[in-house]
């Protein structure tokens, strides 16, 4: 299976939340909800008046079976797609999609929108436990200073990543992990899971062969 790298050449990458919740007494009944930005947008921005769009080639060229742009900021599948496959579910539909009707909403939905950034009220995501969420994946920031647009604008003369943005990410991620640990201690269970996006990106760069055929677009 070919892996996909995200084409966030003009967007900063911020935290995202992916939620697996149980909405019935049956253990196997799970819904999958996604909140975040371009890393996990499955096409919401196709329905919005925004310049942050992924509805033209080369986006989607590895997306089976159509090989056409889907609104995902990727050449193929994105993170929610792989999670949906792992739990045996259909890919999450954008919440703005006209196809998301009736019982389909009970299977989950994708509320992500590219370029959304972090809002002052982002902390409301941690109330999801009260709404039935029992596994919440929370990512930190990726290597912000290494995004192609930032390399072009603020990178070093020899292609080094932006020092300022890298420092910001290095300050943010450890504090996010500590906050999540504190929440889990209050709840008495590992409900919230910190995902090390920065290390994942470095793994792609350092050991690309371990992830199949990777296509990079900038």
């Amino acid at each position: 299976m070919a892996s996909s790298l995200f084409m966030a050449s003009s967007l900063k990458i911020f935290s995202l939340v992916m939620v697996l919740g149980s909405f019935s007494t049956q253990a196997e009944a799970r819904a999958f909800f996604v909140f975040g930005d371009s890393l996990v947008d499955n096409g919401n921005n196709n329905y919005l008046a925004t310049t942050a769009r992924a509805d033209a080639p080369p986006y989607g060229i590895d997306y089976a079976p159509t090989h056409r742009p889907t609104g995902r900021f990727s050449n193929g599948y994105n993170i929610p797609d792989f999670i949906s496959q792992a739990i045996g579910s259909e890919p999450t539909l954008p919440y703005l999609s006209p196809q998301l009707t009736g019982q389909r909403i009970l299977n989950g939905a994708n509320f992500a929108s590219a370029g959304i950034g972090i809002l002052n009220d982002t902390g409301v995501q941690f109330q999801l436990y009260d709404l039935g969420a029992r596994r919440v994946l929370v990512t930190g920031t990726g290597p912000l200073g290494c995004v192609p647009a930032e390399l072009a604008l603020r990178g070093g003369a020899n292609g080094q990543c932006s020092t300022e943005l890298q420092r910001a990410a290095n300050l943010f991620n450890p504090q996010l992990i500590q906050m999540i640990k504190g929440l889990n201690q209050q709840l008495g269970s590992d409900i919230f899971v910190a995902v090390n996006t920065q290390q994942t990106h470095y793994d792609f760069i350092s050991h690309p062969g371990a992830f199949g055929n990777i296509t990079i677009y900038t």
Side-chain angles (χ1 to χ4, degrees):
M1 179 182 297
S3 297
S4 302
L5 285 187
F6 302 96
M7 300 175 286
S9 60
S10 61
L11 300 173
K12 291 183 174 65
I13 303 171
F14 295 105
S15 295
L16 60 94
V17 180
M18 291 172 285
V19 182
L20 292 175
S22 176
F23 293 90
S24 79
T25 57
Q26 297 180 345
E28 68 275 10
R30 293 180 294 180
F32 180 30
F33 293 92
V34 182
F35 306 89
D37 62 1
S38 60
L39 285 175
V40 289
D41 186 348
N42 274 17
N44 279 306
N45 278 27
N46 284 356
Y47 303 94
L48 299 174
T50 174
T51 58
R53 307 185 69 86
D55 54 357
Y59 295 111
I61 63 172
D62 296 317
Y63 186 85
T66 64
H67 303 289
R68 296 177 180 175
T70 62
R72 291 165 172 80
F73 286 72
S74 169
N75 54 293
Y77 296 120
N78 62 12
I79 295 172
D81 292 322
F82 289 119
I83 293 178
S84 293
Q85 291 174 11
I87 64 177
S89 298
E90 293 293 322
T92 56
L93 289 174
Y95 83 97
L96 292 173
S97 171
Q99 301 177 43
L100 190 64
T101 59
Q103 293 293 311
R104 300 192 75 169
I105 189 65
L106 299 180
N107 295 324
N110 190 310
F111 294 89
S113 176
I116 193 171
I118 294 181
L119 305 177
N120 290 335
D121 57 354
T122 297
V124 72
Q125 64 196 26
F126 296 112
Q127 297 174 15
L128 294 169
Y129 177 82
D130 297 330
L131 300 176
R134 289 300 176 266
R135 184 68 67 187
V136 182
L137 309 183
V138 184
T139 75
T141 65
L144 300 181
C146 302
V147 172
E150 299 301 338
L151 284 174
L153 292 173
R154 301 181 179 87
N158 297 320
Q160 299 98 327
C161 300
S162 168
T163 302
E164 182 181 358
L165 289 176
Q166 290 296 89
R167 186 183 299 116
N170 290 335
L171 289 171
F172 176 84
N173 288 326
Q175 294 182 65
L176 176 67
I177 292 173
Q178 289 302 314
M179 181 177 65
I180 289 175
K181 286 181 178 179
L183 285 168
N184 287 334
Q185 289 176 355
Q186 293 176 29
L187 296 172
S189 181
D190 291 332
I191 302 298
F192 296 92
V193 179
V195 180
N196 193 332
T197 307
Q198 185 157 252
Q199 185 59 53
T200 300
H201 278 73
Y202 289 145
D203 288 344
F204 277 136
I205 295 170
S206 302
H207 308 287
F211 301 95
N213 298 319
I214 299 177
T215 307
I216 302 176
Y217 300 98
T218 59

